[in-house]
Amino acid sequence: MDGNVEDFTETDKSERAANMAEMIKVDCRNIDVFYDDKQAIFDISLAIQDRAVTSFIGPSGCGKSTFLRCMNRMNDTIESAKVTGKIFMDGADINDHSIDPVLLRSRVGMVFQKPNPFPKSIYDNIAYGPRIHGLAGSKSELDEIVESSLRKAGLWDEVKDRLPAPGTGLSGGQQQRLCIARAIAVSPEVILMDEPCSALDPIATARIEELIDELRERYCIVIVTHSMQQAARVSQRTAFFHLGKLVEYGDTERIFTNPEDTRTQDYITGRFG
Amino acid sequence: MNSPVPPSSEQGTFVTDAALKRLKKRHAAESRFKLYGQLAIGIAIVALVTLLASIFMQASSAFTRHVLTFDTTLEASYVTPEGERDPEKIARNVSGFNLLLQDELSDQFLPEDPGLSLQRELYGLFTRLAVLPLARKTADTPSNIGTQQSFSVALADDIDLYLKGGITRRKAVNLGQAGAVSGSMDDGFNITLGKAEPLQSALDKFREDEATPTALIQIGSTWFRMTGLDGNTASLEYIAGTPQAPVSGADVSGLALEQAQDNRTVTDRQIAWTMLLEDEGRVKSVPNTTLFTNSDSTYPELAGTAAAIVGSLLTMLVCAMLAIPVGIFAAVYLEEFAVKNRVTDLIEVNINNLAAVPSIVFGLLGAAVFINFMGLPRSVPLVGGLVLGLLVLPTVIIASRAALKSVPPSIRTAALGVGASKTQAVFHHVLPLAAPGILTGSIIGMARALGETAPLLLIGMVAFVAEVPDSPTDESTVLPVLIYKWSTGAERAWEPQTAAAIIVLLVFLVLMNLIAIILRRRFERRW
C-alpha cells in the first residue's frame, strides 16, 4: 500500500496518523529547493520513521544530498539556496523563525561524505559539541560523555589510550566513526549521514554499517548512499530519487524486490546511474 | 565506447617510429623546461649574492673605526673655566675639552706661533663634537678633573677613511740610506737616496693612470714632502715631525701617493701627523659601537642608528596595532560573514587595488589627514605608524583572506553540523587553522612597512633627530629614511656608514622573517 508518492501523500491523513503517528520523526511536505534559478528538488513529501534507518538512493545529482541537508537546515549556509515547503520534526516546524538552526543541529546530527574530524585531539573532537551546548557540568561529566559516545561509535577500545592524539591521525574508517561519535555526543535524535562510506575501504565500510545497525535502536537515521547493496543491507525504508523528484518510497525489501516504477527497477538493476 | 582500431602496422607494439619521435620531443621539452627553471633560479641567486656581497664589502670598513688615544691631565682651567663643577656645564663645555686636546696636539707638533692655517690643519684630525663623550664622562665623574686620564677620541672621518685604505692609493717603499745632504730647513734639502728605483716605479705606475702622484719621505721622526726626483737625488721640503735636518746614513722610507694633496681631502701634513701618532701607538682601531649607541650626527664618524632603530620599532608598534587587528577582522568578515553581492564585490576590488597604490600616495594622505586635518604632530612615529598601517592594511587583508580560504570547508560544515554557530565555527576552528597564514602575511606586511621610505618623507620623518625618542609622539626618524639621508651625505665616509645602516635594516628584516617562520612552525605543531 505504501507504494509510490502519490499513494503516500494522498493517503487519508487520519489513517496514516493511526498507523504511523508514533513512529514518524520527521515529516517533510512539499519541499522545493532552488539554487538561484535552478530548481534542484521538485515538490517532495516524505515522512521518516523514528528508530529506523531510511536510505536515499538515486543517481548522482538527483538531489538526495540536498534534500538531506534540508532536514538540519544546512542549506541555510549556502547563500544561493532557497528552500520552500514545511518540515516537521515531532510536530514542530523546523523552518519556523522561533527555531534557531544551531539548536536544531544539536538535535539533528550530521555525518559527512569525507571524514572531517577537527584537527584537534580525539578527546576535543568529541567534547567540542557538548562544550558549546553546555551539556556537561564538570570535567568528569564531559569525560563520561566522551567515553560513552566513543563506545556507542565502537571506537573506544581502539582509541582509549590515545585520547590526546590528533583525530586526523586515525585511519579513514576510524575518522568516520570518530565523526559519528562526535555527532552522537550532543545527544541528537536524528542522525543524517551523507554517503558516509564512499571514501572508505570495504572493511571500514562493514564496520560503519554494523555501527549504523546498532545505532538504529536509539536514533532516527537517514543515510544517503550510492551503493544499493548498502541501502539493502542497512535500511528498513528506501527512497529513490531521480532528477530532483521522489520516484518511489517504501520498505527496503519491497523496493528492491518488487519496485513499482520502471525507473526504480532500471536503476536497481543497473541500467542507468 | 570502442577506441579506434590502430592501423595494422602499429598493432601489438608500443614502439612505432611516430610514437618514438613524439616521445623524444616530449622529453626534450621537459628537459628544456627544467633548464629554464634552473637558469631562473641561478639568476636570482647570483643577483642576491652580488647584492649582499657588495653591501657587506662596502660596510665592512664601517664596523671598525680609528680613535686617537690621549694620556692627559684634565686641566681645570680648560674644563671648568669658571671654577664651578656643575655637571651640566661640564657636559656642555665642548669647546673647553676641544681646546685641551688641540693644545696638547699643538704642543707636540706645531712650532711657536704657527699661524692659523697650520693650526686648522692639525685640529682637522678630529671634529669638534668628538670630545662630547669625554665631556659627558667627565661631567659624571668630576673628581677626574685635574688628574691624569686615558681616553680616546674618534679621528675625523677622512683620516679614518685614509687609515682604512681609502682617499688615495699609496705604496710604502724603502729607499735605503741617505747619502749626501745639502740645503737648509727653510730652503729645502737635496739628498741622495740609497735606492730611488722603487719610488720611481711606484710614481710611474700612478702616472700611467693619469694621476698626479706625490711622495712623502720619512727620515726618523721627521716628514718631508718630495718636490722633485732627479735620478737618485730627491728634493725635499719639511712638513711635519721633529724639525731636524736629514743626516747622511739615516734610514729613509717613502710613501708614494696617487693623488697630490690638492686632489684629496686629507693634506700631506695630516697624513704625516697621523703616521707619527700611529708610530707612537696612539692610533687604534676599535669596534664601531657608536653605530648602535649614537644618534644621527652631521659628522659621519659620530653618527649612529640608535634613534632610527628605536623610531623604527615605535613606528612598527603603531603600525602593527592598527593593521593587524583591523586587517584580520576585515578579512574574517569579508570571507566568512559578508553576503556576496555588488557592494562586497566592490569592496574586494578596491582592497585589491589599494594594495597596488604607490606608497607615496599614502604619505600624501597621511600628511593631509593626520597632520593637517587631525592636527597630529609632524615627524612622529605615531603618524608614521598610522600611515604605514594603512599602507599594509590591504596586504594583511589579502593574506588573511587567502589563509581563511585555504581552510577546508569541511571544517566549517563539521562545526556547523554539531550545532556550533557561525561565529563559533569561525573563532573555534577556522581562525586557529588560518592563524599561521595570517601571522605570516601580517609579519611580511610589517616587513614591507619597515622598509618603506617614501610616505615617511612626506610626513616629515626625514627631520634630523639627535635624541633617541621615548614615546610614539616624540620626533623621530626610521632606518630606511636614515639610510636615504646618509646616502646623500657629501663626505666619502657616509658611504660605508650607509652600507652599515643597510645591514642593520636587513638584520631587522631577517629577524622579522625568522619570527614569522618560528611562529608558523609553532602554531602548525599544535594541530
Side-chain angles (χ1 to χ4, degrees):
Chain A
M1 258 327 275
D2 50 355
N4 59 29
V5 189
E6 286 75 28
D7 283 352
F8 186 75
T9 49
E10 284 161 19
T11 314
D12 175 46
K13 273 191 183 158
S14 60
E15 186 191 329
R16 194 177 55 154
N19 288 342
M20 301 163 72
E22 292 160 68
M23 299 162 68
I24 286 177
K25 184 75 187 170
V26 185
D27 191 2
C28 309
R29 293 190 200 156
N30 308 101
I31 303 296
D32 290 306
V33 179
F34 300 86
Y35 289 116
D36 289 324
D37 298 332
K38 198 175 152 282
Q39 189 164 3
I41 299 282
F42 296 86
D43 191 33
I44 291 183
S45 297
L46 177 88
I48 291 163
Q49 285 182 18
D50 202 1
R51 320 250 156 175
V53 179
T54 305
S55 60
F56 292 175
I57 59 170
S60 295
C62 68
K64 46 194 193 307
S65 289
T66 301
F67 186 71
L68 186 79
R69 291 160 62 92
C70 291
M71 284 187 254
N72 66 347
R73 289 179 62 178
M74 278 300 262
N75 286 330
D76 289 14
T77 60
I78 301 168
E79 264 170 45
S80 57
K82 190 172 146 260
V83 182
T84 63
K86 289 202 182 296
I87 298 177
F88 296 96
M89 193 175 139
D90 294 335
D93 183 358
I94 65 164
N95 284 314
D96 194 88
H97 290 296
S98 62
I99 304 254
D100 193 303
V102 168
L103 289 178
L104 173 71
R105 287 183 203 133
S106 72
R107 290 177 62 193
V108 185
M110 190 155 187
V111 177
F112 299 87
Q113 183 171 355
K114 230 182 106 207
N116 57 352
F118 298 129
K120 299 185 177 195
S121 70
I122 293 172
Y123 183 93
D124 284 337
N125 260 284
I126 311 294
Y128 180 68
R131 265 191 203 134
I132 59 170
H133 293 297
L135 297 184
S138 65
K139 174 91 175 85
S140 58
E141 268 179 63
L142 195 60
D143 290 347
E144 223 165 84
I145 292 176
V146 170
E147 183 178 340
S148 74
S149 304
L150 283 170
R151 273 191 200 286
K152 280 181 205 157
L155 197 59
W156 176 251
D157 291 332
E158 289 160 61
V159 301
K160 64 182 173 197
D161 299 325
R162 47 176 175 146
L163 291 178
T168 40
L170 297 172
S171 74
Q174 287 174 325
Q175 285 189 21
Q176 195 61 299
R177 276 181 283 147
L178 181 68
C179 292
I180 293 174
R182 182 176 68 191
I184 293 170
V186 291
S187 352
E189 294 149 39
V190 181
I191 301 176
L192 309 176
M193 298 187 180
D194 191 355
E195 298 179 37
C197 302
S198 63
L200 304 181
D201 66 61
I203 295 168
T205 302
R207 293 229 43 185
I208 302 273
E209 286 178 5
E210 268 170 45
L211 174 61
I212 292 172
D213 207 45
E214 286 164 24
L215 293 175
R216 173 163 66 92
E217 289 163 22
R218 291 198 196 87
Y219 305 98
C220 163
I221 295 174
V222 185
I223 176 171
V224 166
T225 177
H226 265 128
S227 154
M228 281 164 288
Q229 291 86 344
Q230 187 173 56
R233 281 194 300 264
V234 300
S235 68
Q236 285 72 54
R237 310 259 304 163
T238 298
F240 174 62
F241 289 69
H242 185 53
L243 297 176
K245 296 189 175 100
L246 179 60
V247 176
E248 199 166 345
Y249 178 43
D251 285 337
T252 301
E253 216 182 304
R254 189 191 58 71
I255 294 271
F256 280 95
T257 53
N258 187 21
E260 290 178 359
D261 197 291
T262 51
R263 283 172 295 177
T264 317
Q265 182 151 26
D266 287 351
Y267 183 71
I268 287 166
T269 51
R271 245 173 254 166
F272 74 89
Chain B
M1 285 285 168
N2 286 335
S3 51
V5 179
S8 56
S9 64
E10 291 185 11
Q11 270 177 342
T13 171
F14 292 110
V15 279
T16 62
D17 281 349
L20 276 178
K21 235 181 188 170
R22 274 200 305 277
L23 198 64
K24 213 174 156 191
K25 237 174 147 182
R26 272 157 54 188
H27 283 316
E30 216 158 279
S31 46
R32 215 161 46 229
F33 182 75
K34 248 192 221 163
L35 188 70
Y36 292 156
Q38 283 162 351
L39 267 177
I41 291 175
I43 290 171
I45 290 177
V46 167
L48 185 69
V49 168
T50 315
L51 176 82
L52 288 179
S54 85
I55 290 174
F56 273 95
M57 266 156 61
Q58 277 195 32
S60 60
S61 69
F63 286 115
T64 58
R65 67 191 171 110
H66 288 90
V67 293
L68 180 58
T69 56
F70 286 90
D71 205 6
T72 307
T73 309
L74 291 172
E75 297 282 0
S77 56
Y78 288 106
V79 179
T80 55
E82 288 153 34
E84 292 175 67
R85 296 207 166 176
D86 177 9
E88 272 204 23
K89 277 199 175 153
I90 295 174
R92 256 187 279 130
N93 186 18
V94 170
S95 46
F97 284 94
N98 234 341
L99 218 56
L100 174 74
L101 302 192
Q102 286 174 349
D103 284 357
E104 151 106 22
L105 280 184
S106 97
D107 284 350
Q108 187 179 355
F109 291 117
L110 295 186
E112 295 284 319
D113 194 14
L116 211 58
S117 70
L118 207 55
Q119 277 182 334
R120 204 172 284 154
E121 217 176 321
L122 179 64
Y123 301 160
L125 288 184
F126 54 86
T127 44
R128 225 175 90 80
L129 285 177
V131 296
L132 204 58
L134 171 65
R136 288 193 180 137
K137 205 177 140 201
T138 311
D140 287 344
T141 48
S143 58
N144 283 350
I145 295 171
T147 63
Q148 181 122 342
Q149 293 294 325
S150 295
F151 49 85
S152 58
V153 171
L155 279 168
D157 55 331
D158 285 330
I159 309 288
D160 181 51
L161 214 55
Y162 174 82
L163 286 169
K164 285 168 179 167
I167 305 286
T168 175
R169 282 201 292 159
R170 73 206 70 157
K171 189 168 165 63
V173 286
N174 184 357
L175 301 176
Q177 289 176 334
V181 178
S182 65
S184 68
M185 287 298 284
D186 292 331
D187 303 330
F189 300 95
N190 282 318
I191 68 165
T192 315
L193 299 172
K195 40 176 183 176
E197 169 58 23
L199 181 60
Q200 188 65 52
S201 69
L203 293 174
D204 286 344
K205 197 160 163 282
F206 288 142
R207 262 187 212 107
E208 274 169 31
D209 300 336
E210 297 186 2
T212 52
T214 184
L216 303 183
I217 305 291
Q218 183 186 18
I219 302 174
S221 59
T222 316
W223 280 79
F224 301 91
R225 181 188 299 125
M226 191 175 79
T227 50
L229 182 63
D230 182 16
N232 271 1
T233 310
S235 320
L236 303 182
E237 171 187 15
Y238 167 80
I239 51 170
T242 325
Q244 190 185 6
V247 282
S248 59
D251 284 328
V252 181
S253 54
L255 185 63
L257 300 166
E258 190 187 18
Q259 300 290 349
Q261 69 172 347
D262 295 343
N263 295 338
R264 50 182 144 83
T265 46
V266 182
T267 64
D268 288 343
R269 277 202 185 84
Q270 285 175 330
I271 292 176
W273 285 322
T274 311
M275 301 311 279
L276 286 168
L277 287 167
E278 205 174 17
D279 290 343
E280 285 176 41
R282 283 176 62 188
V283 174
K284 279 187 193 145
S285 175
V286 295
N288 189 5
T289 48
T290 45
L291 190 63
F292 306 101
T293 55
N294 275 24
S295 295
D296 202 3
S297 163
T298 42
Y299 303 107
E301 74 271 22
L302 302 175
T305 54
I309 289 174
V310 175
S312 268
L313 290 179
L314 287 171
T315 309
M316 284 304 101
L317 195 72
V318 176
C319 173
M321 275 161 55
L322 172 70
I324 293 177
V326 175
I328 291 176
F329 276 103
V332 168
Y333 179 76
L334 282 175
E335 199 55 47
E336 303 288 335
F337 294 99
V339 187
K340 295 273 174 294
N341 58 24
R342 282 228 179 126
V343 179
T344 45
D345 279 352
L346 196 72
I347 291 173
E348 192 173 340
V349 168
N350 274 309
I351 287 171
N352 291 341
N353 283 341
L354 221 51
V357 167
S359 57
I360 198 155
V361 176
F362 283 93
L364 283 171
L365 171 115
V369 175
F370 296 124
I371 294 176
N372 286 348
F373 179 68
M374 291 169 67
L376 293 172
R378 290 165 57 87
S379 316
V380 298
L382 176 66
V383 176
L386 289 174
V387 169
L388 292 180
L390 293 181
L391 175 69
V392 299
L393 191 56
T395 318
V396 174
I397 294 178
I398 291 170
S400 304
R401 288 190 67 176
L404 288 168
K405 249 189 206 130
S406 69
V407 174
S410 66
I411 297 297
R412 292 180 187 86
T413 50
L416 294 177
V418 293
S421 70
K422 191 132 194 188
T423 315
Q424 284 172 326
V426 169
F427 281 91
H428 294 169
H429 299 286
V430 180
L431 211 49
L433 281 175
I438 291 176
L439 266 177
T440 312
S442 303
I443 292 175
I444 285 172
M446 289 298 112
R448 187 193 160 190
L450 182 63
E452 274 298 340
T453 321
L456 299 178
L457 297 182
L458 286 174
I459 56 154
M461 286 193 93
V462 72
F464 179 84
V465 178
E467 292 289 318
V468 176
D470 296 326
S471 78
T473 49
D474 283 353
E475 285 214 336
S476 164
T477 189
V478 292
L479 276 170
V481 174
L482 188 76
I483 289 168
Y484 164 74
K485 260 169 34 190
W486 283 6
S487 71
T488 57
E491 285 91 348
R492 287 286 301 279
W494 286 118
E495 204 177 289
Q497 200 80 1
T498 307
I502 289 174
I503 289 177
V504 172
L505 180 63
L506 285 180
V507 165
F508 271 88
L509 290 175
V510 168
L511 272 181
M512 286 178 82
N513 283 318
L514 211 65
I515 291 171
I517 292 169
I518 290 169
L519 283 176
R520 193 167 51 200
R521 288 268 166 83
R522 250 192 92 125
F523 271 84
E524 270 173 356
R525 212 177 292 146
R526 273 180 53 194
W527 308 110

